[in-house]
Amino acid sequence: MNRHRQRTLPRISCSHCSLAELCLPAGLNQAEIEQLNRIIRRRRPVPRGDFVFQVGDPSQSLYAVHSGCIKTCVPSADGHEQILGFHLPGELVGLDALESENHVCGAVALETVHVCELPLAQLEGMCHRLPGLPHRLLRLIGREVTARHAMLLLLGKRSAEERLATFLLSLASRFRQRGFSEKEFGLSMPRDDIVSVQRRRVRIHDMDRLQTLTTLAATI
């Protein structure tokens, strides 16, 4: 897979983005959002299978998913990959860049993806000027930590049925937050046959059954 060339498109306004309440601008006032707009760059679409960044790349930016789905992963000792998470519109990737000078995981587009790029150097300087920005960034980091914990819990489930039920409920909740159906949605990642699938559409026939499976698993 070839690395995507980092070209940019004209800047877009967070004020008019339907994902603003899920993303970094949430909780900022209009003046703060306008300042944030000045540093955001919109990259050209990342084709399916291409990397937004790879393990070892210099950590220069955070990336907000504007459309599409991104998988973050690390290579394992046996030559396979360990999935860290799946990121939907309104979510940030590249938070590993806050700890070191190089990315410790890779981010792969599972479909054509649009991202908004936030250069770390400029973002850090802006955190000193905008009192609401550090608080919001900490909230998003906390959300990422929670998602990682959920992934660890998912991997620890006893059966494939329980793992898939937990995963689908997580997706359903996130799609609902974005104003989409929680019972029928596109699925970009590999899936099992516990639910009806037509090409890349998933339909959950029994939401109560899925919730029961995850509740039982949590008590075992």
Side-chain angles (χ1 to χ4, degrees):
M1 292 183 288
N2 295 324
R3 191 177 303 176
H4 179 64
R5 295 176 61 190
Q6 296 189 14
R7 297 173 292 175
T8 59
L9 292 174
R11 294 171 182 168
I12 58 173
S13 173
C14 293
S15 303
H16 303 103
C17 180
S18 62
L19 300 167
E21 289 303 313
L22 295 171
C23 198
L24 194 56
L28 302 183
N29 61 44
Q30 188 59 40
E32 291 173 328
I33 291 175
E34 289 176 0
Q35 291 190 56
L36 184 63
N37 279 332
R38 297 191 185 109
I39 72 168
I40 293 177
R41 296 197 295 262
R42 176 80 174 274
R43 290 177 54 170
R44 291 191 179 276
V46 183
R48 179 185 178 190
D50 274 14
F51 284 89
V52 178
F53 54 81
Q54 297 191 54
V55 175
D57 280 353
S59 54
Q60 299 175 337
S61 300
L62 298 181
Y63 303 91
V65 184
H66 187 263
S67 65
C69 181
I70 289 175
K71 172 182 68 176
T72 49
C73 55
V74 293
S76 61
D78 60 4
H80 295 86
E81 67 177 18
Q82 175 65 58
I83 296 174
L84 301 178
F86 298 101
H87 306 268
L88 299 179
E91 299 176 350
L92 293 182
V93 293
L95 290 172
D96 61 299
L98 298 177
E99 193 277 330
S100 65
E101 296 182 354
N102 300 91
H103 285 287
V104 297
C105 68
V108 184
L110 293 177
E111 55 192 309
T112 299
V113 166
H114 293 80
V115 295
C116 299
E117 183 175 356
L118 299 97
L120 280 173
Q122 293 171 270
L123 186 63
E124 183 178 359
M126 191 160 288
C127 282
H128 294 294
R129 300 192 302 272
L130 305 183
L133 188 57
H135 175 72
R136 180 56 186 164
L137 193 55
L138 285 174
R139 290 289 298 271
L140 293 179
I141 292 172
R143 187 171 73 182
E144 177 67 13
V145 171
T146 300
R148 294 289 177 89
H149 287 173
M151 179 61 73
L152 290 174
L153 179 63
L154 178 63
L155 294 174
K157 297 294 182 183
R158 291 189 174 184
S159 72
E161 186 179 57
E162 292 164 352
R163 290 196 299 271
L164 184 57
T166 303
F167 178 62
L168 288 175
L169 282 176
S170 172
L171 281 181
S173 174
R174 290 154 73 188
F175 277 115
R176 184 177 63 249
Q177 290 176 338
R178 286 152 181 80
F180 300 113
S181 170
E182 66 176 0
K183 294 187 176 180
E184 187 172 357
F185 44 82
L187 195 65
S188 303
M189 60 288 296
R191 69 274 184 184
D192 294 325
D193 293 329
I194 191 173
V195 292
S196 298
V197 177
Q198 291 187 339
R199 296 186 180 179
R200 290 193 174 275
R201 300 297 301 177
V202 171
R203 176 172 295 173
I204 298 176
H205 294 297
D206 194 338
M207 183 70 74
D208 291 338
R209 172 61 176 159
L210 283 180
Q211 292 172 337
T212 299
L213 283 173
T214 56
T215 301
L216 288 174
T219 62
I220 295 176

